[in-house]
Amino acid sequence: MQPDSKMGSQRAANLRMATILLSIAAVFFCGIILAQYSGAPAVAVGVLGLAILGFLGISIGRNVGRRGRQ
Amino acid sequence: MSSIPHDHAAGHEHAHEHHPGGIMRWIMTTNHKDIGTLYLWFSFTMFIAGGIMALTIRAELFQPGLQLVEPEFFNQLNTVHGLIMIFGAIMPAAVGFANWQVPMMIGAPDMAFGRLNNWSFWLLPFAGVLLLGSFLAPGGAPSAGWTLYPPLSVQAGMGMDMTIFAIHIMGASSIMGSINIITTILNMRAPGMTLMKMPLFVWTWLITAYMLIAVMPVLAGSVTMLLTDRHFGTSFFNAAGGGDPVLFQHVFWFFGHPEVYIMILPAFGIASTVIPAFARKPLFGYASMVYATASIAILSFLVWAHHMFTVGMPAAGQLFFMYATMLIAVPTGVKVFNWLATMWKGSMTFETPMLFAIGFLFLFTIGGFTGLVLAIVPVDISLHDTYYVVAHFHYVLVAGSLFAFFAGIYYWLPKWTGRMYDETLGKWHFWLSFIFFNVTFFPMHFLGLAGMPRRVPDYATQFTDWNMVASIGAFGFGLSQLLLLIAVLKTIRSGPPAPARPWEGADTLEWTLPSPPPYHTFETPPVVK
C-alpha cells in the first residue's frame, strides 16, 4: 500500500473509532435524562447502568489478553 | 512488556523542528508534548489554588471556635477545594502524563487528533475560571460539598450555575481527551507493539479512558438535570416538586466511585513503570497486572452505594455493596503483591522517583485498608461523614495519585527537559512531603474515630490537639510543594544535561529517543521485537 493511502486509511479508521465512541457517550448522556421520563425512572436508570457496564465489559474485555493483536 | 532493541530513531527526526514560537506556539499547538506540558502546568496551578483553600480550611480548624472565615465561606472552600483538586489538578495531571508519554511509549508520531487535543486542553482554563470565579458570584461559590447533593444544590445561588457549566466543560474536555487516547492506543501503535506488549502505563490509561467515556456523560446528564431543576421548573431531584434527591445520589456515585479509580489507575501505571526501572527487574506478573486493572475498573461500577449506606437501603443491598467493595481488594492486592515481588531481590536504588513510588505504595495501601474498614456497613454507619473518611480518601488520592504523579515527574523530567533535576532537592521534597502528609492526615483517623464530623468549621474542645497537629502538618505539606516548583524550574534553567536514558533499568520506547526528544518523534514507526 502507498504511504498516502495508508495514512488515509488510518485517518479514516481513527475517525470511525472516534465517531463510535462519541456516539456512545451521547447515548449515555441522553439516556440518563430520558430515563427520568420513562414510567419507572429507577428501572430505566438501572437498565442504562447495565448498558454502561456492558460497554465497559465489552470494550475492555475485547482487548485484554489479546497477545497477538496489532 | 516491550523493550527497546531498535536503532531506528534519530536520523531524520531533527529535520522537522520548525514550529511557531512565542505564545502562539502554546495556543495553536497540536503537538502532544506541548499539550502535555500545558496540562501539567495547568494542573500545578490548580493544585496551588486548591492547596491555598485547604490551608485556609486547616487554619480555621487550628482551634475550636470561629477564627478566620464565616461558616458559609468555610463550606464554599470545602466544596471548591474538592472540585478543583479532582477536576482541575489530578485529572489534568493524569492527562498531561498521557499526552507526553502515550505516543512515545507506543511509538506513535503524535496523538490521533491533534486539533481535538488542543481544544481538549484549552477548554480547561475557561472551566477553571468559571469554577474559581464562582466565589465572586452573588451568594458566593457553591457550598453543597463537591457531591452537589440536592436540595442544597437546587437552592444555591448563581455560583452553582457557574460550577455546573464548569463541570460540563471539563466533562467535554475529558471525553474528547479519552476518545483521542483510545484511538491513539488502538490504531497507532508501532509495528510489533501488540496489546500485551504495551507498557502498563499505556494499559492503565486505555482502561481509564474507557471509564471516562462511560461515566462522564452520566455526571453531565445529572448536573444538567440539576440545572433544569433550578431554572426550568423540572423536578428530577427536587423533593418539593415530587423529585427524588436520593436518585441524584445514586446517579452521582455511579459516576463518583469510578472517578476515584479514574484518578488512581494512571497512578498505578506510573508506579508500574518506575518500580521496575529502579529495581532493575521486569515488572512481576505483567499479565496479571493488566487483568487486575481491568477487574478494578469493572468492579468500580458495582460499588457506588457504599457511599450512601446511611441513606437507608434493604439489607440485601447493603450486603451486596459491602461484599462487592471488599472484592476490589483482591485485584488491588494483586497489584501491591506484584510491585513488592518486582522489588524482591532487585538491585534497587532509591532516587527520588523510586522514593515517591515506595511512598505511594506504602501510603496507598494504608488508604486501601481504611477503605476496607469503611466498606463494613455497621462501621461505615458510625464513621460516615467523620474525619476518618477524610483521612481515608486523602491517603488514597494524595498519597496515592499525587505521590505517584510526583514519581512520574521526577522520572520523566530528564526526558522532557533534557536536563537532570537536583537529586538532593528531590529527596528533600519527598521526605518533607512524606512526613508532613502523615502529620496532617494520620491524626484525622483518630478524630474520625472519636466522632468529629467533617465539613464543620467548629468542633468540640476535645478534638483540639489533633486538629492543631493536622493543621501544622498541612502547612508543612503545603510549603514542601514549593520545593517541587523550585526543583522543576532549576532543572529547566540550569540542570546538567541528561543522557537519553538516565535510568539504567528503564526499558520503554521513549528512552530510545534523545533527551529532550525532538519536536516530532517516531515519524517512521520503530519496530518492536
mmCIF file of all heavy atoms in Angstrom, chain B residues 462-479:
data_model
loop_
_atom_site.group_PDB
_atom_site.id
_atom_site.type_symbol
_atom_site.label_atom_id
_atom_site.label_comp_id
_atom_site.label_asym_id
_atom_site.label_seq_id
_atom_site.Cartn_x
_atom_site.Cartn_y
_atom_site.Cartn_z
ATOM 1 N N GLN B 462 -12.477 18.723 72.849
ATOM 2 C CA GLN B 462 -11.637 17.516 73.000
ATOM 3 C C GLN B 462 -10.906 17.151 71.713
ATOM 4 O O GLN B 462 -10.011 16.311 71.728
ATOM 5 C CB GLN B 462 -12.459 16.316 73.502
ATOM 6 C CG GLN B 462 -13.435 15.728 72.510
ATOM 7 C CD GLN B 462 -14.840 16.267 72.729
ATOM 8 O OE1 GLN B 462 -15.009 17.387 73.189
ATOM 9 N NE2 GLN B 462 -15.847 15.468 72.427
ATOM 10 N N PHE B 463 -11.309 17.758 70.595
ATOM 11 C CA PHE B 463 -10.638 17.460 69.322
ATOM 12 C C PHE B 463 -9.476 18.423 69.044
ATOM 13 O O PHE B 463 -8.832 18.335 67.995
ATOM 14 C CB PHE B 463 -11.637 17.565 68.157
ATOM 15 C CG PHE B 463 -12.816 16.633 68.273
ATOM 16 C CD1 PHE B 463 -14.113 17.120 68.119
ATOM 17 C CD2 PHE B 463 -12.644 15.289 68.522
ATOM 18 C CE1 PHE B 463 -15.207 16.270 68.214
ATOM 19 C CE2 PHE B 463 -13.732 14.432 68.629
ATOM 20 C CZ PHE B 463 -15.017 14.922 68.480
ATOM 21 N N THR B 464 -9.208 19.335 69.968
ATOM 22 C CA THR B 464 -8.275 20.432 69.663
ATOM 23 C C THR B 464 -6.871 19.938 69.323
ATOM 24 O O THR B 464 -6.293 20.349 68.311
ATOM 25 C CB THR B 464 -8.186 21.413 70.852
ATOM 26 O OG1 THR B 464 -9.498 21.817 71.197
ATOM 27 C CG2 THR B 464 -7.344 22.632 70.496
ATOM 28 N N ASP B 465 -6.318 19.058 70.153
ATOM 29 C CA ASP B 465 -4.896 18.711 69.998
ATOM 30 C C ASP B 465 -4.587 18.131 68.620
ATOM 31 O O ASP B 465 -3.654 18.552 67.936
ATOM 32 C CB ASP B 465 -4.481 17.709 71.088
ATOM 33 C CG ASP B 465 -4.486 18.362 72.462
ATOM 34 O OD1 ASP B 465 -4.572 19.614 72.515
ATOM 35 O OD2 ASP B 465 -4.437 17.629 73.472
ATOM 36 N N TRP B 466 -5.371 17.152 68.224
ATOM 37 C CA TRP B 466 -5.075 16.513 66.931
ATOM 38 C C TRP B 466 -5.359 17.458 65.769
ATOM 39 O O TRP B 466 -4.736 17.361 64.713
ATOM 40 C CB TRP B 466 -5.857 15.207 66.765
ATOM 41 C CG TRP B 466 -5.303 14.072 67.575
ATOM 42 C CD1 TRP B 466 -5.957 13.297 68.478
ATOM 43 C CD2 TRP B 466 -3.948 13.576 67.554
ATOM 44 N NE1 TRP B 466 -5.122 12.355 69.022
ATOM 45 C CE2 TRP B 466 -3.883 12.499 68.478
ATOM 46 C CE3 TRP B 466 -2.788 13.939 66.861
ATOM 47 C CZ2 TRP B 466 -2.710 11.783 68.711
ATOM 48 C CZ3 TRP B 466 -1.609 13.213 67.099
ATOM 49 C CH2 TRP B 466 -1.579 12.159 68.015
ATOM 50 N N ASN B 467 -6.318 18.365 65.964
ATOM 51 C CA ASN B 467 -6.546 19.360 64.913
ATOM 52 C C ASN B 467 -5.357 20.290 64.768
ATOM 53 O O ASN B 467 -4.990 20.680 63.653
ATOM 54 C CB ASN B 467 -7.821 20.165 65.200
ATOM 55 C CG ASN B 467 -9.027 19.530 64.551
ATOM 56 O OD1 ASN B 467 -9.110 19.435 63.333
ATOM 57 N ND2 ASN B 467 -9.951 19.050 65.358
ATOM 58 N N MET B 468 -4.757 20.671 65.900
ATOM 59 C CA MET B 468 -3.556 21.515 65.820
ATOM 60 C C MET B 468 -2.441 20.784 65.077
ATOM 61 O O MET B 468 -1.779 21.359 64.197
ATOM 62 C CB MET B 468 -3.090 21.888 67.227
ATOM 63 C CG MET B 468 -3.928 22.960 67.874
ATOM 64 S SD MET B 468 -3.249 23.384 69.484
ATOM 65 C CE MET B 468 -4.188 24.846 69.861
ATOM 66 N N VAL B 469 -2.243 19.519 65.436
ATOM 67 C CA VAL B 469 -1.195 18.733 64.765
ATOM 68 C C VAL B 469 -1.474 18.677 63.268
ATOM 69 O O VAL B 469 -0.580 18.916 62.427
ATOM 70 C CB VAL B 469 -1.141 17.303 65.367
ATOM 71 C CG1 VAL B 469 -0.205 16.411 64.555
ATOM 72 C CG2 VAL B 469 -0.691 17.348 66.819
ATOM 73 N N ALA B 470 -2.735 18.379 62.909
ATOM 74 C CA ALA B 470 -3.083 18.267 61.487
ATOM 75 C C ALA B 470 -2.864 19.583 60.754
ATOM 76 O O ALA B 470 -2.365 19.604 59.621
ATOM 77 C CB ALA B 470 -4.540 17.818 61.342
ATOM 78 N N SER B 471 -3.194 20.687 61.409
ATOM 79 C CA SER B 471 -3.035 21.984 60.746
ATOM 80 C C SER B 471 -1.553 22.319 60.543
ATOM 81 O O SER B 471 -1.159 22.822 59.478
ATOM 82 C CB SER B 471 -3.710 23.094 61.560
ATOM 83 O OG SER B 471 -5.106 22.920 61.526
ATOM 84 N N ILE B 472 -0.733 22.019 61.553
ATOM 85 C CA ILE B 472 0.713 22.258 61.395
ATOM 86 C C ILE B 472 1.255 21.409 60.246
ATOM 87 O O ILE B 472 2.005 21.872 59.386
ATOM 88 C CB ILE B 472 1.448 21.948 62.722
ATOM 89 C CG1 ILE B 472 1.066 22.992 63.769
ATOM 90 C CG2 ILE B 472 2.961 21.902 62.514
ATOM 91 C CD1 ILE B 472 1.468 22.629 65.192
ATOM 92 N N GLY B 473 0.826 20.143 60.232
ATOM 93 C CA GLY B 473 1.251 19.247 59.149
ATOM 94 C C GLY B 473 0.826 19.772 57.789
ATOM 95 O O GLY B 473 1.585 19.711 56.820
ATOM 96 N N ALA B 474 -0.394 20.310 57.712
ATOM 97 C CA ALA B 474 -0.904 20.789 56.418
ATOM 98 C C ALA B 474 -0.053 21.932 55.895
ATOM 99 O O ALA B 474 0.277 21.979 54.697
ATOM 100 C CB ALA B 474 -2.358 21.235 56.563
ATOM 101 N N PHE B 475 0.321 22.858 56.791
ATOM 102 C CA PHE B 475 1.162 23.972 56.331
ATOM 103 C C PHE B 475 2.547 23.468 55.921
ATOM 104 O O PHE B 475 3.123 23.942 54.938
ATOM 105 C CB PHE B 475 1.232 25.070 57.402
ATOM 106 C CG PHE B 475 0.043 25.988 57.333
ATOM 107 C CD1 PHE B 475 -1.130 25.675 58.003
ATOM 108 C CD2 PHE B 475 0.076 27.131 56.557
ATOM 109 C CE1 PHE B 475 -2.245 26.504 57.914
ATOM 110 C CE2 PHE B 475 -1.028 27.967 56.458
ATOM 111 C CZ PHE B 475 -2.203 27.645 57.141
ATOM 112 N N GLY B 476 3.066 22.501 56.669
ATOM 113 C CA GLY B 476 4.355 21.906 56.281
ATOM 114 C C GLY B 476 4.256 21.238 54.916
ATOM 115 O O GLY B 476 5.127 21.410 54.048
ATOM 116 N N PHE B 477 3.180 20.499 54.708
ATOM 117 C CA PHE B 477 2.999 19.797 53.433
ATOM 118 C C PHE B 477 2.860 20.805 52.289
ATOM 119 O O PHE B 477 3.467 20.646 51.223
ATOM 120 C CB PHE B 477 1.756 18.899 53.501
ATOM 121 C CG PHE B 477 1.557 18.069 52.262
ATOM 122 C CD1 PHE B 477 2.343 16.948 52.026
ATOM 123 C CD2 PHE B 477 0.592 18.407 51.324
ATOM 124 C CE1 PHE B 477 2.169 16.180 50.870
ATOM 125 C CE2 PHE B 477 0.416 17.648 50.175
ATOM 126 C CZ PHE B 477 1.203 16.537 49.952
ATOM 127 N N GLY B 478 2.058 21.849 52.551
ATOM 128 C CA GLY B 478 1.857 22.855 51.505
ATOM 129 C C GLY B 478 3.160 23.537 51.124
ATOM 130 O O GLY B 478 3.495 23.659 49.936
ATOM 131 N N LEU B 479 3.932 23.933 52.137
ATOM 132 C CA LEU B 479 5.200 24.617 51.837
ATOM 133 C C LEU B 479 6.189 23.680 51.148
ATOM 134 O O LEU B 479 6.973 24.110 50.298
ATOM 135 C CB LEU B 479 5.802 25.181 53.132
ATOM 136 C CG LEU B 479 5.017 26.355 53.747
ATOM 137 C CD1 LEU B 479 5.595 26.746 55.102
ATOM 138 C CD2 LEU B 479 5.014 27.562 52.800
#
